[in-house]
């Protein structure tokens, strides 16, 4: 894709071609990010497609996707680079037999051959190729220290390795950060980024997503699934189901050759939607209560009030 | 940014900058940034600049696109979206002004520096603005010195004062302090964790050192050890009627701790147990409290500690509690349930978890003795029995937790 000719529409359409349904506001933010060279911080509930958009965009831009999954205790050795110690030691041992002078050995074992490149260094060292999409996933799981370190990398897009020198990105990678908000991201990092909150999809959007991913799903059932999802997202579950769950459910129902939902099959397959015992329990209560109007969901799914669950 | 702003505040902030507004998008975007800053948004010049860089890239005549471009650059929290939208509507009234902006974008009426300077006297920093809001009508002076760790005190007297005796103004000050204490404690905890060595791989430095005795030959390899299990903190807070005057503060403390620290699970109980971890995963504590009291059954009602523990042991302990977990129970021990059940459940919990800390707000009063049956039944299984009736006791609790968790 030619970067100079991209527009908000072209981004939205090419994402759509690759089966990622996104609204104009997300497309605008992605567009701005590509043009401004600024990272995007995506927040939203689990399973609304935060990670997916980075993957799809890499495909659109026809470039590599480099993914850095964050976890507690992630440090710069794992994220940036590390010296290949065993290889260095072996080299030293081998050199003991030979008679080369110490200095040349030293320069050698601290050359790039002995450097193990980790995702961040990978993303910056493009060697003239198209800049990759760098996905820093679930940043909220990493420690605060790592965040501070990331701040440094994301502001200059350069990395200094004392023994080798400074490596600078000739073209900035397209950076996506995602967070599930298990804790707050530091303000300084947020300021470096464009921010976008991905909502749960509306009824229509979710319907479109199902029909795009699984065109063989019967229309009635797709509507019923969406109506069910819209309703339960407005209730107080521990983990509200995301789009990922919707799609799992749809594909499970397809496997079972279902053309329509009925109360029985909902009970049998609801494990696709709720993954916590307390939530399953809660659902049972709701099903027997009157808040979850199954009749209406099954018979007139299109009339179930959509809108974004907050 | 837990702020409650009404329309008047917004209109006032917008009005304040009206005389300074110039022609063109640049000048106006700058002013828009100032208004947001005044209203408590964290705003730096770089964001305003980037917002301006975005303008030529989008179709500025499309109001939704214009809105999105500003929001992407200037908004950083989905909880502020609503407020941002209100300010946006109030500030950018009518498409005419925006369109007007494109024509004259190159010639802002005022240079950016000028505009910033001239607005400084009326503006003030974010901190000042926040302090003004917090301290409105408040006689007790707030001293937000972030370096005092974590004995931060809004006021010495308040630190010692029992939560149950506080008025609204005092409780507001203490709430601030509690959140700060919680965040300080949490940061220190996480720093300690960081020092744990990573990975089940060779530790070159350790290996070198170990092998000096063999004259530098590599004979033994030293591996780094990974911390396998994460220490978790589970908070169980009594919200029954007898705890009313304390539970609000304690939940705020839990909220502060949980938002800063990874691996904290929070529950409240009265006659039954509810998990509220997900409810307090939000920035706005006011909303959170409201959400909790709405969704929790038996708030301010009777107490059945035994049954609540039973539910916890049955449904949650399996996946949440390991021998490293610290379980903190916050309750006055007044129990209307079966003492036998309570005792059995305490025993079961004790077998499974690392430490049980019981916080009892009544412990502080001089003539308190744990006479009520519930408390007596629980006592043998406790590792620590502490008070939690004022801010100082929370600081103390913080230190203790740090020792246990780190």
């Amino acid at each position: 894709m030619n970067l100079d000719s991209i527009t908000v529409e072209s981004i939205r359409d090419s994402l759509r071609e690759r089966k990622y349904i996104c609204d104009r506001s997300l497309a605008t933010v992605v567009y701005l990010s590509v043009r401004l060279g600024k990272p995007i911080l995506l927040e939203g509930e689990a399973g609304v497609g935060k990670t997916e958009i980075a993957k799809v965009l890499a495909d659109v831009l026809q470039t590599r996707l480099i993914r850095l999954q964050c976890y507690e205790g992630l440090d710069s050795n794992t994220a940036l680079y590390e010296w290949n110690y065993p290889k260095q030691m072996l080299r030293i041992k081998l050199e003991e037999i030979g008679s080369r002078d110490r200095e040349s050995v030293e320069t050698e074992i601290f050359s790039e051959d002995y450097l193990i490149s980790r995702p961040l260094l990978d993303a910056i060292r493009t060697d003239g190729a198209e800049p990759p999409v760098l996905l820093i996933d679930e940043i909220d799981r990493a420690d605060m220290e790592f965040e501070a370190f990331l701040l440094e990398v994301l502001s200059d897009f350069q990395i200094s390795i004392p023994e080798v020198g400074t490596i600078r990105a000739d073209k900035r990678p397209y950076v996506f950060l995602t967070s599930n908000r298990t804790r707050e991201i530091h303000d300084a990092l947020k300021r470096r980024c464009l921010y976008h909150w991905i909502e749960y999809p509306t009824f229509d959007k979710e319907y479109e997503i199902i029909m795009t991913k699984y065109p063989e799903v019967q229309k009635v059932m797709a509507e019923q699934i969406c109506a069910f999802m819209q309703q339960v997202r407005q209730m107080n579950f521990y983990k509200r189901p995301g789009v990922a769950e919707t799609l799992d459910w749809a594909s499970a129902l397809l496997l079972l050759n279902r053309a329509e939902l009925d109360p029985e099959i909902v009970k049998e397959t609801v494990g696709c939607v709720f993954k916590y015992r307390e939530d399953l329990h809660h659902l049972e209560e709701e099903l027997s209560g009157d808040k979850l109007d199954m009749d209406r969901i099954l018979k007139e799914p299109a009339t179930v009030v959509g809108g974004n669950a907050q | 940014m837990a702020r409650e702003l009404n329309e008047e505040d917004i209109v006032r902030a917008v009005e304040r900058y009206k005389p300074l507004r110039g022609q063109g998008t640049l000048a106006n975007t700058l002013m828009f940034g100032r208004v947001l800053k005044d209203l408590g948004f964290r705003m730096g010049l770089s964001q305003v600049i980037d917002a301006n860089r975005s303008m030529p890239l989008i179709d500025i005549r499309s109001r939704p696109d214009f809105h999105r471009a500003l929001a992407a650059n200037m908004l950083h929290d989905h909880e502020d979206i609503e407020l941002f939208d209100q300010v946006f509507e109030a500030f950018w009234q009518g498409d005419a002004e925006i369109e007007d902006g494109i024509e004259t974008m190159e010639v802002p009426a005022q240079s950016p520096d000028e505009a910033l300077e001239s607005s400084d006297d009326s503006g003030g920093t974010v901190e000042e603005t926040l302090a003004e809001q917090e301290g409105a009508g408040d006689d007790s002076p707030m001293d937000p010195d972030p370096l005092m760790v974590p004995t931060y005190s809004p006021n010495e007297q308040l630190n010692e004062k029992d939560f149950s005796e506080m008025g609204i103004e005092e409780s507001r000050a203490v709430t601030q302090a509690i959140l700060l204490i919680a965040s300080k404690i949490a940061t220190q905890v996480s720093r300690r964790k960081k020092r744990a060595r990573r990975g089940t791989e060779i530790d070159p430095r350790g290996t070198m050192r170990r092998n000096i005795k063999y004259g530098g030959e590599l004979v033994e390899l030293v591996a780094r050890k990974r911390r396998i299990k994460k220490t978790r903190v589970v908070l169980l807070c009594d919200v029954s009627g007898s705890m009313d005057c304390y539970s609000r503060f304690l939940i705020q403390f839990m909220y502060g701790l949980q938002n800063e620290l990874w691996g904290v699970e929070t529950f409240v109980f009265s006659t039954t147990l509810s998990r509220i971890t997900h409810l307090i995963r939000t920035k706005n504590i006011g909303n959170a409290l409201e959400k909790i009291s709405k969704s929790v059954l038996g708030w301010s009602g009777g107490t059945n500690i035994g049954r609540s523990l039973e539910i916890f042991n049955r449904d949650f302990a399996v996946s949440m509690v390991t021998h490293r977990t610290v379980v903190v129970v916050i309750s006055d021990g007044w129990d209307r349930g079966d003492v036998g059940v309570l005792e059995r459940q305490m025993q079961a919990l004790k077998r499974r978890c690392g430490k049980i800390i019981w916080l009892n707000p009544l412990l502080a009063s001089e003539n308190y003795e744990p006479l009520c049956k519930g408390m007596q039944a629980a006592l043998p299984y406790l590792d620590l029995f502490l008070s939690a009736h004022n801010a100082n006791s929370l600081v103390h609790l913080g230190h203790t937790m740090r020792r246990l968790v780190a």
Side-chain angles (χ1 to χ4, degrees):
Chain A
M1 192 177 209
N2 187 356
L3 277 190
D4 297 323
S5 67
I6 65 165
T7 58
V8 177
E9 289 79 14
S10 72
I11 286 205
R12 192 185 53 190
D13 295 343
S14 25
L15 288 173
R16 203 168 274 251
E17 270 166 37
R18 287 161 183 82
K19 300 190 174 174
Y20 189 94
I21 309 297
C22 83
D23 46 33
R24 190 180 171 88
S25 88
L26 178 55
T28 310
V29 178
V30 172
Y31 165 76
L32 284 176
S33 156
V34 170
R35 295 297 299 266
L36 292 174
K38 227 180 155 180
I40 300 184
L41 171 62
L42 287 174
E43 288 193 329
E45 306 288 342
V48 289
K50 300 188 290 293
T51 305
E52 188 65 20
I53 190 170
K55 293 187 192 163
V56 179
L57 188 72
D59 191 30
V60 169
L61 299 172
Q62 288 172 352
T63 178
R64 276 190 310 155
L65 174 77
I66 297 176
R67 180 170 177 170
L68 176 63
Q69 173 68 50
C70 297
Y71 54 86
E72 199 188 9
L74 175 67
D75 60 7
S76 52
N77 282 343
T78 328
L80 199 56
Y81 72 89
E82 193 169 27
W83 290 108
N84 192 340
Y85 293 113
K87 196 174 168 188
Q88 285 176 330
M89 283 185 186
L90 277 174
R91 185 78 210 172
I92 296 169
K93 284 280 131 191
L94 284 174
E95 289 298 337
E96 274 178 8
I97 310 161
S99 54
R100 285 174 61 191
D101 65 297
R102 265 168 53 192
E103 263 172 40
S104 69
V105 176
E106 213 173 283
T107 350
E108 198 186 320
I109 61 170
F110 283 108
S111 66
E112 295 210 15
D113 282 346
Y114 291 81
L115 197 66
I116 304 173
S117 180
R118 306 285 193 200
L120 289 180
L121 183 58
D122 263 348
I124 283 179
R125 203 164 49 166
T126 49
D127 299 326
E130 269 302 293
V133 172
L134 172 63
L135 169 63
I136 302 171
D137 216 1
E138 301 188 321
I139 174 76
D140 50 334
R141 286 174 157 222
D143 310 301
M144 302 271 232
E145 290 81 353
F146 183 73
E147 237 177 72
F149 161 78
L150 201 58
L151 189 65
E152 211 180 302
V153 176
L154 292 186
S155 46
D156 300 336
F157 289 96
Q158 64 176 39
I159 288 169
S160 300
I161 304 172
E163 296 87 349
V164 177
T166 302
I167 298 174
R168 187 175 287 113
D170 25 301
K171 281 185 196 162
R172 291 186 166 195
Y174 310 105
V175 186
F176 283 80
L177 293 101
T178 75
S179 158
N180 286 326
R181 286 173 55 91
T182 54
R183 67 174 179 78
E184 283 299 330
I185 306 303
H186 198 274
D187 262 338
L189 186 59
K190 282 183 166 180
R191 266 187 226 169
R192 292 279 188 288
C193 304
L194 296 172
Y195 178 85
H196 187 77
W197 171 264
I198 303 189
E199 288 283 359
Y200 283 122
T202 56
F203 181 94
D204 293 335
K205 188 177 162 198
E206 191 154 36
Y207 178 78
E208 200 183 341
I209 294 172
I210 295 181
M211 293 317 272
T212 312
K213 289 266 184 183
Y214 300 108
E216 58 281 30
V217 171
Q218 296 293 318
K219 280 185 180 161
V220 189
M221 190 166 79
E223 281 182 357
Q224 288 169 332
I225 293 175
C226 295
F228 182 85
M229 286 299 183
Q230 294 293 338
Q231 286 259 302
V232 295
R233 280 190 197 127
Q234 287 172 29
M235 294 174 174
N236 180 28
F237 287 99
Y238 176 68
K239 269 274 181 299
R240 287 184 290 177
V243 182
E245 278 73 25
T246 309
L247 292 174
D248 276 356
W249 198 24
S251 85
L253 292 166
L254 267 186
L255 276 177
L256 296 168
N257 284 321
R258 290 290 166 153
E260 242 178 282
L261 281 183
D262 59 59
E264 281 312 304
I265 196 74
V266 169
K267 269 185 198 151
E268 284 163 22
T269 54
V270 80
C272 299
V273 182
F274 294 105
K275 320 259 164 100
Y276 285 81
R277 181 175 157 175
E278 37 178 325
D279 281 349
L280 288 171
H281 189 70
H282 187 173
L283 181 73
E284 258 168 50
E285 277 171 15
E286 296 285 5
L287 281 174
S288 53
D290 50 1
K291 249 169 99 189
L292 191 61
D293 193 349
M294 275 312 274
D295 254 10
R296 185 145 157 233
I297 289 176
L298 297 180
K299 292 196 184 110
E300 312 160 49
T303 69
V304 170
V305 190
N308 293 322
Q310 271 300 312
Chain B
M1 268 186 286
R3 292 185 318 268
E4 308 291 331
L5 290 174
N6 53 34
E7 255 171 66
E8 276 173 36
D9 292 326
I10 295 171
V11 171
R12 209 176 307 134
V14 171
E15 286 297 318
R16 196 183 303 157
Y17 287 98
K18 207 147 214 181
L20 296 167
R21 286 177 67 165
Q23 295 281 305
T25 317
L26 174 62
N28 282 328
T29 309
L30 258 167
M31 286 307 115
F32 184 58
R34 293 293 307 179
V35 171
L36 288 174
K37 192 168 179 179
D38 271 15
L39 290 169
F41 283 76
R42 308 244 168 128
M43 189 68 51
L45 199 55
S46 73
Q47 278 142 288
V48 181
I49 291 171
D50 277 342
N52 266 297
R53 282 174 59 210
S54 310
M55 291 310 138
L57 299 173
I58 58 160
D59 180 2
I60 203 171
R61 280 163 305 186
S62 150
R63 198 171 164 92
D65 283 9
F66 178 67
H67 172 263
R68 184 91 306 271
L70 284 183
N73 281 292
M74 295 172 147
L75 180 74
H76 302 110
D77 199 312
H78 95 283
E79 286 173 22
D80 294 333
I81 289 177
E82 209 177 305
L83 179 61
F84 180 90
D85 289 351
Q86 281 176 19
V87 181
F88 180 87
E89 289 305 325
F91 191 92
W92 305 96
Q93 279 163 356
D95 292 338
E97 281 178 39
I98 299 175
E99 276 179 47
D100 190 33
I102 353 170
E103 323 278 304
T104 51
M105 209 157 72
E106 306 305 324
V107 272
Q110 236 172 341
S111 83
D113 297 331
E114 233 175 59
L116 270 180
E117 267 169 37
S118 55
S119 59
D120 253 2
D121 352 303
S122 51
T125 63
V126 184
E127 287 75 19
E128 279 168 30
T129 318
L130 277 175
E132 273 164 34
Q133 282 165 13
E134 294 297 337
D138 196 341
D139 291 333
S140 57
M142 290 270 296
D143 176 23
D145 183 353
L147 295 175
M148 286 169 67
V149 187
T151 49
Y152 166 86
S153 65
N155 172 324
E156 276 306 315
Q157 272 177 331
L158 280 187
N159 270 1
E160 293 294 340
K161 192 162 184 178
D162 202 285
F163 289 145
S164 58
E165 293 161 6
M166 282 181 188
I168 295 172
E169 290 304 332
E170 285 170 324
S171 74
R172 199 182 288 165
V174 169
T175 304
Q176 287 292 320
I178 287 177
L179 291 182
L180 199 68
I181 293 167
S183 93
K184 293 288 171 206
I185 291 167
T187 341
Q188 285 171 12
V189 171
S190 69
R191 242 179 247 144
R192 287 284 292 274
K193 273 193 174 168
K194 177 75 203 302
R195 248 176 258 153
R197 281 187 171 167
R198 172 199 61 88
T200 44
E201 54 200 67
I202 294 168
D203 174 7
R205 213 165 279 159
T207 304
M208 296 283 197
R209 198 176 166 77
R210 177 74 62 84
N211 288 297
I212 287 175
K213 60 184 171 194
Y214 305 112
E217 288 295 327
L218 298 183
V219 179
E220 287 178 57
L221 290 180
V222 178
R224 288 169 166 171
K225 280 193 186 116
R226 181 191 281 266
R227 260 181 105 106
I228 297 169
K229 296 278 179 196
K230 283 192 195 71
T231 312
R232 276 177 178 277
V233 179
V234 175
L235 299 161
L236 303 169
C237 184
D238 190 342
V239 293
S240 61
S242 59
M243 287 285 289
D244 253 0
C245 44
Y246 299 104
S247 50
R248 230 171 60 85
F249 293 100
L250 297 170
I251 286 176
Q252 256 146 15
F253 183 68
M254 301 194 252
Y255 159 83
L257 209 58
Q258 187 193 309
N259 266 344
E260 298 283 342
L261 192 61
W262 214 87
V264 179
E265 289 283 350
T266 310
F267 295 82
V268 292
F269 66 89
S270 51
T271 49
T272 179
L273 181 89
S274 318
R275 184 186 200 171
I276 59 164
T277 312
H278 57 301
L279 293 178
I280 59 180
R281 191 170 287 160
T282 157
K283 254 191 167 180
N284 189 336
I285 180 69
N287 280 355
L289 284 174
E290 198 179 311
K291 267 194 275 176
I292 296 165
S293 54
K294 243 190 246 164
S295 68
V296 170
L297 289 171
W299 185 275
S300 300
T303 331
N304 193 331
I305 307 178
R307 188 161 77 201
S308 305
L309 282 178
E310 192 177 357
I311 299 173
F312 177 75
N313 282 336
R314 188 190 65 206
D315 292 348
F316 301 102
V318 185
S319 56
M320 268 174 212
V321 178
T322 69
H323 62 286
R324 290 169 170 274
T325 311
V326 178
V327 178
V328 183
V329 183
I330 307 173
S331 167
D332 55 9
W334 288 108
D335 187 25
R336 298 205 194 134
D338 184 347
V339 179
V341 177
L342 173 60
E343 184 159 10
R344 273 198 303 282
Q345 295 305 328
M346 282 301 290
Q347 200 179 0
L349 185 60
K350 177 68 197 155
R351 266 205 303 270
R352 194 183 278 279
C353 77
K355 290 266 189 304
I356 304 183
I357 304 178
W358 192 295
L359 302 177
N360 189 334
L362 302 182
L363 193 59
S365 66
E366 278 169 27
N367 36 19
Y368 174 77
E369 280 179 58
L371 287 181
C372 59
K373 283 188 203 149
M375 203 61 250
Q376 275 192 327
L379 266 183
Y381 304 101
L382 304 184
D383 294 278
L384 280 169
F385 190 36
L386 301 171
S387 105
H389 62 291
N390 60 22
N392 273 352
S393 64
L394 290 184
V395 172
H396 184 64
L397 167 69
H399 287 304
T400 313
M401 297 246 290
R402 208 166 77 217
R403 224 175 39 239
L404 291 176
V405 173

